[in-house]
Amino acid sequence: MSLSEKITKILNGTIQSVQSIVPMDLEIARPALLAEPFKQRTTGVLIGITGDILGRILLTGNNELFSKVGESMFGMPVTGEMLESFAGELGNMVVGNLSTIISQQGLTMDITPPTVFVGETSIYGFKKAFHLPIKCDQIGQLEVVLMLEET
C-alpha cells in the first residue's frame, strides 16, 4: 500500500472516528497540507502513532469547544482541571477509535499516551502534515493535524 493510500485511510478514519465520538453536528472541511510551525492557540492534545505510519495526531481547539463537547457527552459543563483532563481523554478516544478503524482496513497502528498543551504553542519537527478542520455545531472549530515523521 502506498503512503498516499495510508494517509487517505488515516484521514478518512479520523473523520469517521470524530463523527462517532462527538455527539453534535459536524461540518468537515477538506484536508490541506500544512507547513511548520503549526500554532496552537489554546488547548490541544498530542498523541503519537506507530506502526505502518509513524507520526503524531494533534487535536486542538478553544476551551469553550472542549467544554461544550464534554457537556454534550456527559451532561455537565467541563471546566478547570477537568477541562484539561477531558481534552486528553477526548484525544485518547478519537485516536484510539481511529486505531481500531485502521486495523479493520489492514493497517497496523498503536498510540502513545496523550500530552495536553494549554496556551499558545508552536509545533515544529514534522516533515509533512495535514490539517483537517472540523466545525462543531456553532461552538467552534476542532483542528486535527496529522504530522508524519517519514514521508
Side-chain angles (χ1 to χ4, degrees), residues 38-45 58-61 116-123:
F38 176 75
K39 293 191 185 218
Q40 176 215 275
R41 304 257 186 270
T42 53
T43 301
V45 57
L58 173 70
L59 283 80
T60 184
V116 176
F117 296 97
V118 177
E120 189 170 309
T121 307
S122 294
I123 299 174

Side-chain angles (χ1 to χ4, degrees), residues 7-24:
I7 292 167
T8 299
K9 285 182 185 275
I10 289 176
L11 289 170
N12 288 336
T14 300
I15 292 167
Q16 184 181 345
S17 180
V18 170
Q19 288 174 325
S20 70
I21 297 214
V22 177
M24 49 183 52

Side-chain angles (χ1 to χ4, degrees), residues 17-18 21 44-49 57-59 66 73 84-100 109-116:
S17 180
V18 170
I21 297 214
V45 57
L46 185 70
I47 297 176
I49 57 174
I57 295 179
L58 173 70
L59 283 80
F66 283 107
M73 293 175 76
E84 295 166 14
S85 177
F86 173 71
E89 190 52 39
L90 180 65
N92 230 10
M93 288 187 283
V94 168
V95 181
N97 191 36
L98 168 63
S99 182
T100 300
M109 184 175 146
D110 289 317
I111 65 173
T112 65
T115 301
V116 176

Side-chain angles (χ1 to χ4, degrees), residues 10 49-54 99 102-103 105-110:
I10 289 176
I49 57 174
T50 62
D52 289 332
I53 288 197
L54 299 176
S99 182
I102 290 302
S103 72
Q105 297 178 17
L107 289 174
T108 302
M109 184 175 146
D110 289 317

Side-chain angles (χ1 to χ4, degrees), residues 68-93:
K68 294 288 187 183
V69 169
E71 185 174 355
S72 72
M73 293 175 76
F74 304 119
M76 59 183 252
V78 180
T79 59
E81 288 181 15
M82 288 290 292
L83 182 66
E84 295 166 14
S85 177
F86 173 71
E89 190 52 39
L90 180 65
N92 230 10
M93 288 187 283

